[in-house]
Amino acid sequence: MDTPPVDSGAAAIAHNHSRNPSYNRTTLPRRSTKGPLDGEDPLAPKSPTSPADTILAEAATSSVRTSPPPAAPLPSSLTAKPAKDLSFLLHPQIYHALPPPFLVPSAPVSPSTPIQELLDQHNCHAVATFAAARLTSLPHLSHPEIFSLLYIRYASLVLLNHLNIAAQEAKALEDISSPFYRDESTGRCILPWELRVLVVRLQGRGPGGYYDVARDARREYRAAAAPKEKSLWKERVRELGMCVTNALIEEGDLAGAVRHLRSLKARAGQDVGDGDGELDARLALVYLKLGDVDAAQRIINSVPDHTEPASQKDALKALLPICAGDYHSAITHLSTPLNQPTDLQTSNLALANFYTGNVDTTITLLNGLVEKGRWRREIIFNLATCFELTGDRRVKAQKDELVEMVKENIKRRRSCLTAADFKL
């Protein structure tokens, strides 16, 4: 029976060596080594190949795939391996009781309600509670069922802003890169992709944790034969590149995030302003966070006007005067009549008005978003802050009215908002 993985910290042993004189030792040339991300790069542009190269590649592939006829199968009693024991993930002590939801639903939720129905209603609190209950109560759960419930539990906790609880519960998985989570016959990780990527973040493994996942993703990309499967793994490698960027930003290494994003552009054979507009947008945002407005402006100006979505470049342009402290120019830019102003543009316009002292205008703009059913955390929090800054003695009443407005707009759909989002 397999045992659960145990994190083993590498013990550093210091040896006191006395320096010995060298005796005409011959210096060996350094061997060329390859890292986990070397090899065939799914993010690199495809170079044209000659017909001879294609024939050689096909011949090599066919020779590799050719194998002798399989031998007669052994009796199942000799080949069957015991399934991995995941019972250590089913202990009730692992899963924490959640505080009651702030926006209480009008009708109680039946315990027999399918999780998918609760997901469709955005009832993250009930989803997280039911996932933990089923993990600890249902007998004979298969491995896919356990991993699916774990992902639902962790993702719901993240949406509820209970990151500390999710991080503590994710420790139960311990070292997800250990051989315990590998299929003994294929060597592949048995954890689903979405769960594995999420756990890397929750366990705080930093950028290096994603490189272990990227090694497997590139291996799957090279082994994939169908174009659809190859495209899937290529997109996953690209997704991991963005995860590394986010991890670097969370660690405060903004300069490292810039270098990483530029390396992703270089791997794709693109210069700034070419190809992937999402990479350019992220790079510009990191430069703005660094305070280098000029570098961000050069990137934004190099992005073609036809880049999709078209509103993305306009939103980035509006951020330039805001980050430079020129709020009046930002208001002028954001107030330009548009066919369909986005929620992001309206929110940025409210922010620019806030910094110019037009708090009443800010409240009007944010209230308009809430009335349209846009109750994202940052909008609710900014609106509650504006209530506090007006100096009105009815601040508590205004916040209560805001809570009722959100409840009315939510109706059957649930929300992950908490009392802290309303500053109550």
Side-chain angles (χ1 to χ4, degrees):
M1 180 181 295
D2 293 312
T3 56
V6 178
D7 282 324
S8 58
I13 305 175
H15 298 280
N16 295 325
H17 296 285
S18 60
R19 294 183 176 272
N20 297 323
S22 59
Y23 298 98
N24 298 325
R25 294 175 180 173
T26 303
T27 304
L28 295 177
R30 185 174 181 267
R31 297 178 180 179
S32 61
T33 58
K34 289 186 177 182
L37 301 186
D38 293 326
E40 185 183 358
D41 190 354
L43 299 183
K46 295 183 179 179
S47 56
T49 56
S50 63
D53 293 335
T54 304
I55 295 172
L56 289 175
E58 291 176 353
T61 303
S62 61
S63 63
V64 170
R65 292 183 180 178
T66 302
S67 58
L74 295 174
S76 58
S77 59
L78 299 180
T79 59
K81 297 180 180 179
K84 295 181 183 293
D85 184 9
L86 299 180
S87 60
F88 66 95
L89 297 173
L90 308 180
H91 296 308
Q93 296 83 358
I94 296 175
Y95 305 100
H96 300 68
L98 302 182
F102 176 64
L103 299 174
V104 182
S106 56
V109 180
S110 172
S112 60
T113 304
I115 285 185
Q116 185 58 48
E117 182 178 337
L118 298 175
L119 288 171
D120 294 339
Q121 297 175 2
H122 295 244
N123 196 343
C124 298
H125 189 279
V127 168
T129 302
F130 288 176
R134 295 180 185 186
L135 279 168
T136 56
S137 62
L138 293 181
H140 310 299
L141 286 173
S142 64
H143 290 183
E145 289 173 331
I146 292 175
F147 293 143
S148 176
L149 289 171
L150 284 176
Y151 177 74
I152 291 173
R153 169 75 176 183
Y154 297 157
S156 298
L157 291 176
V158 171
L159 292 174
L160 288 168
N161 211 23
H162 294 321
L163 288 175
N164 292 335
I165 297 178
Q168 291 177 24
E169 294 183 1
K171 290 180 181 178
L173 288 165
E174 300 185 11
D175 186 6
I176 61 174
S177 61
S178 71
F180 177 82
Y181 290 109
R182 296 280 174 180
D183 186 283
E184 295 180 2
S185 58
T186 64
R188 292 177 174 176
C189 183
I190 63 175
L191 292 174
W193 175 262
E194 293 80 4
L195 176 62
R196 193 179 179 190
V197 174
L198 179 58
V199 170
V200 169
R201 182 193 176 196
L202 292 178
Q203 291 186 345
R205 295 181 176 270
Y210 293 109
Y211 281 86
D212 293 334
V213 187
R215 182 191 297 111
D216 289 345
R218 289 176 181 272
R219 186 185 300 117
E220 294 291 343
Y221 172 82
R222 291 191 294 268
K228 186 176 181 180
E229 186 180 1
K230 217 169 183 65
S231 176
L232 171 65
W233 286 107
K234 178 178 180 180
E235 181 59 30
R236 286 180 171 178
V237 172
R238 182 180 178 279
E239 175 190 345
L240 290 175
M242 296 302 182
C243 291
V244 171
T245 303
N246 294 337
L248 290 170
I249 294 174
E250 289 178 354
E251 290 183 352
D253 188 3
L254 299 178
V258 168
R259 291 193 298 270
H260 177 68
L261 285 171
R262 285 190 171 276
S263 71
L264 292 180
K265 296 285 290 185
R267 281 177 178 270
Q270 301 171 0
D271 197 1
V272 174
D274 299 334
D276 196 337
E278 183 181 357
L279 281 177
D280 291 326
R282 286 176 179 260
L283 186 57
L285 289 173
V286 176
Y287 271 124
L288 289 176
K289 194 171 180 64
L290 270 171
D292 194 343
V293 180
D294 293 335
Q297 185 167 12
R298 288 194 295 271
I299 293 174
I300 295 172
N301 291 339
S302 65
V303 176
D305 292 332
H306 62 270
T307 302
E308 294 294 336
S311 59
Q312 186 180 68
K313 185 174 182 178
D314 290 333
L316 291 173
K317 281 184 176 180
L319 288 179
L320 292 173
I322 292 178
C323 294
D326 188 1
Y327 303 112
H328 292 284
S329 297
I331 292 174
T332 302
H333 180 84
L334 290 167
S335 300
T336 303
L338 298 174
N339 294 331
Q340 289 183 343
T342 64
D343 297 339
L344 178 61
Q345 291 169 324
T346 304
S347 182
N348 288 339
L349 179 58
L351 182 66
N353 276 280
F354 174 81
Y355 281 113
T356 56
N358 299 325
V359 180
D360 293 335
T361 304
T362 302
I363 292 176
T364 302
L365 291 170
L366 295 179
N367 261 328
L369 291 176
V370 175
E371 290 173 355
K372 291 193 298 183
R374 313 298 195 265
W375 49 79
R376 295 198 305 271
R377 281 194 173 93
E378 61 271 18
I379 294 176
I380 298 297
F381 188 87
N382 289 341
L383 189 52
T385 302
C386 290
F387 290 154
E388 295 176 349
L389 295 178
T390 56
D392 195 331
R393 295 182 179 179
R394 296 181 58 256
V395 172
K396 179 63 167 61
Q398 289 175 320
K399 292 180 180 179
D400 290 339
E401 292 173 2
L402 179 59
V403 171
E404 294 301 323
M405 183 189 303
V406 173
K407 282 185 179 181
E408 178 63 24
N409 286 332
I410 289 176
K411 295 181 180 178
R412 285 187 56 82
R413 293 170 65 88
R414 308 299 186 255
S415 172
C416 299
L417 295 172
T418 63
D421 297 319
F422 293 86
K423 303 188 75 173
L424 290 173

